[in-house]
Amino acid sequence: MYWRYLTRAARRCSVHTTSSRTVGWWDHVAPAAKDPINGVTEAFLADPSPYKINLGVGAYRDDKGRPVVLQCVREAEAKIAGSEFLESISASVSTKMVEESVKLVYGKDSDVVKEGRSAGVQALSGTGACRLFAEFQRRFHPESHIYFPDPTWSNHHNIWRDAQIPERTYHYYDPDSKSLDFAALMDDIKNAPDSSFFLLHPSAHNPTGVDPTEEQWREISYQFKVKGHFPFFDMAYQGFASGDLDKDAQAIRIFLEDEHLIGCAQSYAKSMGLYGHRVGCLSILCVDSKQAAAIRSQIQQIARAMYGSPPVHGILLVATILSDPNLKSLWIDEVKIMADRIQRKRTTLRQNLEKLGSSLNWEHITNQLGMFCFSGLTPYQVDRLAKEFHIYMTQDGRISMAGVTTGNVNYLANAIHEVTRSEQETAKILCSISV
Ligand code: PLA
């Protein structure tokens, strides 16, 4: 009672005199470094310009730049209205969502599905699925490392760091050719210690938009077999590379044919436009259903201690869409529409740059796949785009193609043309020297 009547200053003084141990608990806490992706959104939101464009986070937008609620999601919403309040449904809905997610990755007729050899659990979107796996890896292989492609999604570093798994990198991208450095990648797979953990992007690699070909995946899978490596696939963009869900799972199916035991993180944030609902799935393939049950129970225990259980609404939406043939086929069509829109904008952006007379090679814009274009713009050019043109993207020059629209593609091309002028001059000089 007495405490309530003290002024703030008196309270502070009282804390000092009565219990000096309560002072300074958090004095050593410095602000965390800005997240390279969320930091872009913050800078964009703080910019009052009416011309501003956000090409940072990879969230799907329509051709007017608006967030999209898919028609299949609207119809699923109508179908499930109110049912998420029934506590009794949550376990069965979660099982359904996991079963259907596993089929999406490994194929509906796959033996893995028929034999119940996958330990699948619902997860808080793709991030949560990666986090659960990293924690599982630490518990059962505490001495292991994780190999990431260089570059990779920036948050992979945070996720495995927080699980105290040291990271290593393997070659992936060649900045000169703006394509896959396959020879260096294969060397790194061969030179890694036997039985290493590797993170692979099965399609629409983030941030480069560069994927191995089918033949290259076969070679990678073969070499993994030789070395006994563990492939962990982070599947955040199924459908966004080709517009076809099965085709985008081709890498995983190749590993499956070669009888690898695989781990896979799935996200519905992009493919169903459910970013805010945080729906995902983690699955680990096992030798038999008994092992699957053991692994599932361990992952469930990890999740239980981390966050209990995830919110049920999004899971209900995904389970409803995937188990209703009409809604599922509507979803498949909508995935194709999204992938095609992004592909069209790649073509327009490249054409516009070429029409402006840019002497730089922009072929990679249309060669790359999926949500992102790894433009090759330097951090200085990225800064100029933000300061002079109000166009925001990550420092590594990654453009979220979902943010490019019919209305802004011209403005974007002009701005890129402007900030790359000096590079174009250098290219012209080099060209004239070599001629
Ligand atoms: N894995 C990869 C390769 C990703 O690119 C992302 C999201 C995730 C996992 C996590 O997805 P989630 O939202 O389902 O958890 N990457 C985004 C968003 C689209 C982000 O960074 O939060 C990106 O802009 O890179």
Side-chain angles (χ1 to χ4, degrees), residues 279-312:
V279 196
C281 178
L282 167 65
S283 56
I284 298 177
L285 298 193
C286 305
V287 288
D288 56 26
S289 59
K290 192 168 162 230
Q291 189 179 67
I295 290 186
R296 189 178 307 111
S297 70
Q298 290 290 348
I299 303 171
Q300 278 166 342
Q301 192 193 68
I302 294 170
R304 172 98 176 111
M306 268 191 200
Y307 53 80
S309 58
V312 74

Side-chain angles (χ1 to χ4, degrees), residues 37 57-58 125-127 153 206 234 236-237 267 269-270 275 278 398:
I37 297 171
V57 70
S125 214
T127 309
W153 177 46
N206 177 11
D234 183 5
Y237 301 95
S267 162
K270 275 72 67 178
Y275 195 91
R278 316 307 295 147
R398 185 191 85 166

Side-chain angles (χ1 to χ4, degrees), residues 13 77 162 179 234 245 251 263 287 299 355 358 369 373 397 408 427:
C13 179
E77 287 282 8
D162 283 0
S179 60
D234 183 5
L245 294 154
V287 288
I299 303 171
K355 269 191 230 147
S358 175
L369 295 162
C373 163
N408 68 23

Side-chain angles (χ1 to χ4, degrees), residues 172-182 207-211 346 360-369 373-378 381 396-397 420 423:
Y172 190 83
Y173 182 73
D174 172 24
D176 293 332
S177 63
K178 296 194 175 59
S179 60
L180 187 69
D181 194 344
F182 186 62
T208 67
V210 171
D211 291 339
R346 285 182 183 278
L360 299 176
N361 184 346
W362 296 106
E363 271 174 22
H364 58 284
I365 298 182
T366 46
N367 290 345
Q368 296 169 355
L369 295 162
C373 163
F374 209 43
S375 66
L377 293 168
T378 62
Q381 291 164 342
D396 56 5
T420 54
E423 220 179 303

Side-chain angles (χ1 to χ4, degrees), residues 35-38 41 55-60 124-130 152-156 159 199-207 234-237 265-270 274-276 278-280 371-372 394 398 400:
D35 181 85
I37 297 171
N38 292 340
T41 308
L55 306 176
V57 70
Y60 187 73
L124 288 175
S125 214
T127 309
C130 286
T152 193
W153 177 46
S154 51
N155 209 21
H156 284 146
I159 292 171
L199 185 142
L200 300 160
H201 298 224
S203 60
H205 179 273
N206 177 11
D234 183 5
M235 176 80 125
Y237 301 95
Q266 282 170 272
S267 162
Y268 292 98
K270 275 72 67 178
L274 295 177
Y275 195 91
R278 316 307 295 147
V279 196
M371 188 71 104
F372 301 109
T394 50
R398 185 191 85 166
S400 172

